[in-house]
Amino acid sequence: MKTWVYIDHFKGEAVSSSWEALGVGKTFGPVSALVFGSGVDALAQAAFEFGADEVLLVDDPALADFRAEPYAATLSALAQAGSPELVLLPTTFRAREMAAMSAIDLNSGVLVDVTALEMSGDELVATRPIYEGKLHEKTACSARPQFITLRGRAFPRPARQAGRTGTLTRSAAQTGALTNVEGYSAGESGVSINDAGVVVAGGRGVSNNPALGLDEKATAEKGFALVGELAALLGGAIGASRAAVDAGFIPYSHQVGQTGKVVSPDLYIAAGISGSIQHIVGIRSAKLVVAINKDAEAPIFSVARYGVVGDLFTYLPLITAAFKQRLGK
Ligand SMILES: Cc1cc2nc3c(=O)[nH]c(=O)nc-3n(C[C@H](O)[C@H](O)[C@H](O)COP(=O)(O)OP(=O)(O)OC[C@H]3O[C@@H](n4cnc5c(N)ncnc54)[C@H](O)[C@@H]3O)c2cc1C
């Protein structure tokens, strides 16, 4: 099957799930990686090292900033000329937007957030969660090329082989666009919640510690400091419930759930989170959930493998200290 994989990146730094997509692409035969941007030769080389047999490189100053119009138009033009049967992308906001626009250009279809792919005869069957992750649907796209976005961390990341090369094919960008990027404001640095192997998350409970004698916001600051300390120790990211985000305790980029991010870490520690259905949707593919909650009846315990019924202000420092000791830090 003629397979292309789009390497999503921000300013030349690849989203880790792009390499996972490349690994999936390789299971269907030789694979071409699509690298778009400006000054992205190093990214093209990385694509070879992660397994691409060919890199279709579109390097143009007009692609320095991601804008859906020129990126999607470039993808559509390449696909029109090259006729791939399958275009894989990581499930990111950028890649989803591109896939949708290109699929419209090419009168094809998109399957998003796919967690498994298998051949059934000549047909590629995709599995994806539906109804807030309660069911898994198997589905196939009859149009070509089929665009499929893959859920981050649902597939293994291939090993990198330093110095590996392949065929580099340069192509022209489609540069027409109605939008311009005026600039960026710095967000937060640290481990991306999408790529994290460990997520330690706080809910409204982080603002509840009367013994501190502080208002809710100041208490939440202390609570999230405990959450952050454990996340940093484990090389993980900080997550949050919507209640914590809505209360202004932490920015939206940390929100996990139906209207936040879907995460798939190996370990998800939920502290002071009740476990509403809208939150659970975001952690169904976490491999191991640990919950700390004062309320033994909290629904989070129904999805947690391990649970601590108690105060997060007591138990988070104890867990952090135990990890420090075990890790020799
Ligand atoms: C359309 C829609 C979309 C939504 N999308 C999302 C979403 O994406 N993500 C999301 O999270 N929510 C979402 N929600 C909101 C969701 O319904 C819940 O309101 C929210 O998840 C509750 O957050 P919480 O568990 O932090 O707060 P609460 O429900 O208030 O729970 C706080 C928990 O902390 C415990 N607690 C309190 N103090 C302590 C302490 N000191 N130590 C230990 N435990 C303590 C309590 O026992 C309680 O279980 C959405 C709602 C709607 C309607």
Side-chain angles (χ1 to χ4, degrees):
M1 183 168 354
K2 187 168 183 181
T3 304
W4 289 3
V5 176
Y6 175 71
I7 307 301
D8 190 32
H9 66 98
F10 180 71
K11 298 212 169 280
E13 194 164 321
V15 173
S16 172
S17 45
S18 296
W19 307 133
E20 295 161 14
L22 200 52
V24 173
K26 290 286 283 181
T27 62
F28 302 117
V31 68
S32 300
L34 302 166
V35 175
F36 300 171
S38 176
V40 283
D41 284 358
L43 193 59
Q45 178 53 32
F48 285 130
E49 293 182 358
F50 277 105
D53 301 286
E54 181 189 26
V55 171
L56 301 173
L57 177 64
V58 184
D59 199 312
D60 191 301
L63 301 183
D65 294 306
F66 176 84
R67 288 169 300 158
E69 299 152 288
Y71 269 66
T74 300
L75 174 56
S76 302
L78 286 179
Q80 223 140 23
S83 306
E85 288 162 86
L86 169 64
V87 180
L88 296 174
L89 308 93
T91 302
T92 61
F93 287 115
R94 287 184 293 262
R96 282 173 72 138
E97 198 175 2
M98 272 178 79
M101 289 171 77
S102 284
I104 290 169
D105 288 346
L106 302 171
N107 198 24
S108 185
V110 188
L111 299 174
V112 295
D113 211 18
V114 164
T115 53
L117 275 177
E118 62 193 326
M119 292 301 296
S120 170
D122 285 345
E123 202 171 54
L124 184 58
V125 178
T127 304
R128 58 183 187 146
I130 56 169
Y131 297 120
E132 300 176 342
K134 285 193 193 121
L135 293 177
H136 291 271
E137 175 191 62
K138 283 189 186 288
T139 183
C141 177
S142 54
R144 295 291 179 271
Q146 47 191 324
F147 291 87
I148 296 184
T149 81
L150 302 177
R151 178 176 284 193
R153 294 183 55 81
F155 301 91
R157 181 176 154 149
R160 187 171 186 160
Q161 298 169 47
R164 188 180 177 280
T165 55
T167 310
L168 184 72
T169 308
R170 289 181 186 269
S171 299
Q174 305 293 313
T175 55
L178 298 171
T179 51
N180 276 315
V181 176
E182 294 286 333
Y184 297 95
S185 58
E188 294 160 284
S189 54
V191 182
S192 149
I193 194 169
N194 294 103
D195 296 336
V198 176
V199 175
V200 186
R204 204 197 311 264
V206 299
S207 65
N208 177 29
N209 185 351
L212 289 175
L214 301 169
D215 66 14
E216 274 199 345
K217 194 142 191 176
T219 307
E221 222 168 274
K222 301 264 183 216
F224 267 114
L226 299 177
V227 168
E229 195 188 349
L230 181 54
L233 178 67
L234 301 178
I238 300 175
S241 71
R242 176 161 161 180
V245 171
D246 285 353
F249 302 153
I250 188 160
Y252 168 73
S253 58
H254 295 270
Q255 185 177 315
V256 172
Q258 184 185 329
T259 43
K261 289 183 176 135
V262 172
V263 296
S264 312
D266 297 322
L267 172 63
Y268 187 84
I269 301 177
I273 294 178
S274 57
S276 66
I277 179 64
Q278 295 89 356
H279 189 82
I280 301 298
V281 168
I283 60 170
R284 269 195 215 282
S285 44
K287 294 194 180 65
L288 179 73
V289 176
V290 175
I292 307 167
N293 198 303
K294 281 168 93 160
D295 175 6
E297 302 299 320
I300 190 74
F301 287 120
S302 66
V303 293
R305 176 97 61 89
Y306 301 105
V308 178
V309 179
D311 194 312
L312 67 94
F313 285 89
T314 307
Y315 285 97
L316 273 178
L318 289 175
I319 293 170
T320 302
F323 270 118
K324 271 187 184 159
Q325 197 180 20
R326 181 59 78 91
L327 298 170
K329 290 189 179 173

